[in-house]
Amino acid sequence: MADNFDMIVIGAGPGGYVAAIRGAQLGLKVAIVERENLGGICLNWGCIPTKALLRSAEVLHLMHRAKEFGLKADGIGYDLDAVVKRSRGVAKQLSGGIAHLMKKNKITVVMGEAKIAAKGKVVVDGKELTAKNIVLATGARARTLPGLEADGDLVWTYRHALEPKRMPKKLLVIGSGAIGIEFASFFNTLGADTTVVEVMDRVLPVEDAEVSAFAKKAFEKQGMKILEKTTVKKLDKANGKVTAHLEAGGKTTTQEFDTVISAVGIVGNVEGLGLEALGVKIDRTHVVVDEYCRTGVDGLYAIGDIAGAPWLAHKASHEGVMVAELIAGKHAHPIKPGTIAGCTYCYPQVASVGMTEANAKEAGYDIKVGRFPFIGNGKAIALGEAEGFVKTVFDAKTGELLGAHMIGAEVTELIQGYVIGRTLETTEEDLMHTVFPHPTLSEMMHESVLDAYGGAIHF
């Protein structure tokens, strides 16, 4: 006999476990199915452990700069195994926290591989579960390109890079999106001779062009080699080395590396779920959904990475809450894509929300653009972090904040101020009249707004 629930969530990542908790809070009887680890990729193999690694690299970077701060530090170095052990410990601690939250909210956790056998019926390793509502939150995995397949030895995906068996000496990173650049930043700081290859015409191609240009200069200053408009055609492995065939401008050259990290995007985990038989529409490995994450099949929803871009944990969590509230009969609010921030935790950090300057122009807006550099901010100088800038883009007619773009220290924390502004539909006047505390990095946000209208004070 099948166990019956109000809602079954397949996948316990940042979308799935949040959906389950919110559903339980609203009085629903909830089951969650997970085949590997509670917390999903984000908590176990993505967002959290990578930030732990990057924090170690950041501390090492600061130790090397001790003299700048009037400090003395001798014998500076690192233990890669200990750095990785700390990262895995952070992930384990938080995964255990998710298990506690499931128990606290009386959510039934079923470990195993799920398949939707029929509408409202989920089978997990022979065990039947039924529910009127099913939420797909199965996430995504690393994309593999022909000729660039990972073997875990010489060619790594992000999972191998999180538990490196050795420190790369000469590293090739394929792809300069958030994942690629974060690992490039980590290993480069630890001393790897790092080359980043990007098929597009600039690094961090989804960011504003000015941010990309600034980031490239910063990375090169740190010793990275950046190859743009370049394609890796194939990788030849021999004698513990990888020969990469690089094509740029119609010419092919070869370079030898001891380690390659492939970060060329992700594909949705849509296989083996029985979606095709249910009539679910799948577009390039992602489930097609409407603004409420409905698949078109009654009672079946898809959230997070499986439902397409942007592939961000916070987007997945917000969708999880929205779907749970919808199922519970509450008034749910769809997510506005233009209010979802993107953050990259390289050095220097990058964060943005809304339209780039180019996007705004292409959309036909008459715009006003403001900029303010870190070098003009007292707190940034005191911190020894004077590299970077804040950029804001406004609709010249209405004063609407169309987008904000930042590069520099702690901008991943600062960006939320502009996210709130976008969500509340604030104008330039609202932001100008906001009193920012001093001395803080956030004052640059204020100055950037003022600059868009010719009123910056400190630069």
Side-chain angles (χ1 to χ4, degrees):
M1 186 175 171
D3 290 341
N4 189 48
F5 299 88
D6 297 313
M7 179 171 83
I8 298 170
V9 182
I10 303 175
Y17 85 73
V18 168
I21 290 171
R22 186 62 184 137
Q25 287 175 343
L26 294 171
L28 300 177
K29 185 182 178 186
V30 182
I32 191 164
V33 183
E34 173 55 51
R35 67 182 178 184
E36 192 174 7
N37 303 110
L38 294 178
I41 292 296
C42 170
L43 198 153
N44 295 281
W45 298 102
C47 318
I48 300 302
T50 54
K51 301 313 156 286
L53 291 180
L54 286 160
R55 177 60 173 165
S56 291
E58 182 183 25
V59 172
L60 179 66
H61 171 78
L62 285 170
M63 289 167 70
H64 281 296
R65 293 174 57 198
K67 194 173 180 181
E68 288 178 38
F69 298 91
L71 305 174
K72 293 181 181 179
D74 299 318
I76 298 167
Y78 64 87
D79 177 340
L80 184 61
D81 289 342
V83 168
V84 172
K85 184 178 179 181
R86 175 181 180 271
S87 170
R88 299 315 307 157
V90 170
K92 185 178 179 182
Q93 179 182 341
L94 289 169
S95 185
I98 303 301
H100 168 73
L101 288 172
M102 296 298 101
K103 188 175 181 181
K104 175 187 173 185
N105 287 281
K106 298 181 174 58
I107 295 163
T108 300
V109 176
V110 182
M111 300 302 293
E113 197 92 24
K115 181 175 180 178
I116 304 174
K119 195 169 140 185
K121 184 190 287 186
V122 175
V123 177
V124 185
D125 298 336
K127 180 182 176 69
E128 274 192 19
L129 313 173
T130 60
K132 188 178 178 182
N133 300 285
I134 297 171
V135 181
L136 295 170
T138 53
R141 63 187 184 277
R143 182 187 298 280
T144 300
L145 296 180
L148 309 181
E149 293 88 355
D151 58 14
D153 179 23
L154 300 175
V155 184
W156 300 349
T157 64
Y158 63 86
R159 289 187 76 142
H160 304 119
L162 279 166
E163 289 188 300
K165 296 173 184 173
R166 55 183 162 73
M167 177 62 195
K169 292 177 182 171
K170 193 170 182 188
L171 171 67
L172 171 66
V173 177
I174 308 172
S176 75
I179 295 172
I181 283 296
E182 287 184 359
F183 279 118
S185 191
F186 171 72
F187 285 111
N188 187 71
T189 301
L190 266 58
D193 179 355
T194 305
T195 298
V196 178
V197 168
E198 173 54 55
V199 70
M200 303 294 281
D201 61 356
R202 53 194 175 89
V203 292
L204 296 168
V206 302
E207 300 296 340
D208 187 86
E210 283 187 65
V211 169
S212 291
F214 191 99
K216 181 184 179 183
K217 286 182 181 177
F219 298 151
E220 288 178 335
K221 186 178 176 183
Q222 294 164 31
M224 282 190 216
K225 298 170 193 71
I226 307 292
L227 304 178
E228 297 160 329
K229 296 184 187 175
T230 302
T231 304
V232 181
K233 302 305 287 184
K234 67 171 181 172
L235 301 172
D236 294 328
K237 304 171 198 172
N239 304 317
K241 301 288 183 184
V242 181
T243 299
H245 296 255
L246 310 175
E247 185 182 281
K251 295 180 181 179
T252 300
T253 58
T254 60
Q255 286 192 43
E256 193 175 82
F257 301 89
D258 64 70
T259 311
V260 177
I261 296 176
S262 179
V264 291
I266 62 172
V267 292
N269 293 321
V270 294
E271 304 88 353
L273 291 164
L275 301 183
E276 295 84 356
L278 291 168
V280 173
K281 188 176 178 184
I282 297 171
D283 178 23
R284 289 169 292 180
T285 78
H286 298 288
V287 174
V288 177
V289 296
D290 67 7
E291 62 178 344
Y292 289 98
C293 294
R294 296 176 294 207
T295 63
V297 175
D298 188 39
L300 183 63
Y301 303 82
I303 63 174
D305 287 356
I306 195 179
W311 298 289
L312 300 166
H314 43 287
K315 172 249 196 187
S317 295
H318 206 89
E319 287 177 339
V321 170
M322 177 188 71
V323 165
E325 291 180 350
L326 200 63
I327 290 169
K330 302 292 183 184
H331 180 61
H333 296 272
I335 295 172
K336 297 175 184 176
T339 61
I340 301 173
C343 297
T344 305
Y345 299 79
C346 47
Y347 183 81
Q349 292 182 11
V350 174
S352 60
V353 66
M355 293 183 177
T356 64
E357 182 178 351
N359 292 155
K361 287 177 179 175
E362 286 165 13
Y365 285 98
D366 179 17
I367 60 173
K368 284 185 178 290
V369 179
R371 300 171 185 81
F372 195 82
F374 270 56
I375 194 69
N377 177 263
K379 178 73 178 292
I381 294 170
L383 289 175
E385 299 288 355
E387 283 192 11
F389 67 88
V390 176
K391 177 177 179 178
T392 44
V393 183
F394 291 90
D395 181 348
K397 292 178 182 175
T398 65
E400 178 190 358
L401 175 64
L402 298 175
H405 311 275
M406 308 175 173
I407 182 166
E410 299 305 325
V411 296
T412 57
E413 297 291 338
L414 296 177
I415 194 64
Q416 186 61 16
Y418 285 136
V419 172
I420 292 170
R422 290 271 297 154
T423 302
L424 297 180
E425 299 179 357
T426 55
T427 64
E428 92 291 1
E429 191 175 353
D430 297 320
L431 292 165
M432 285 177 179
H433 292 167
T434 299
V435 180
F436 286 72
H438 174 79
T440 63
L441 296 175
S442 69
E443 290 174 278
M444 291 183 287
M445 299 167 64
H446 191 217
E447 292 272 17
S448 180
V449 174
L450 294 173
D451 182 60
Y453 291 84
I457 302 296
H458 290 96
F459 197 75

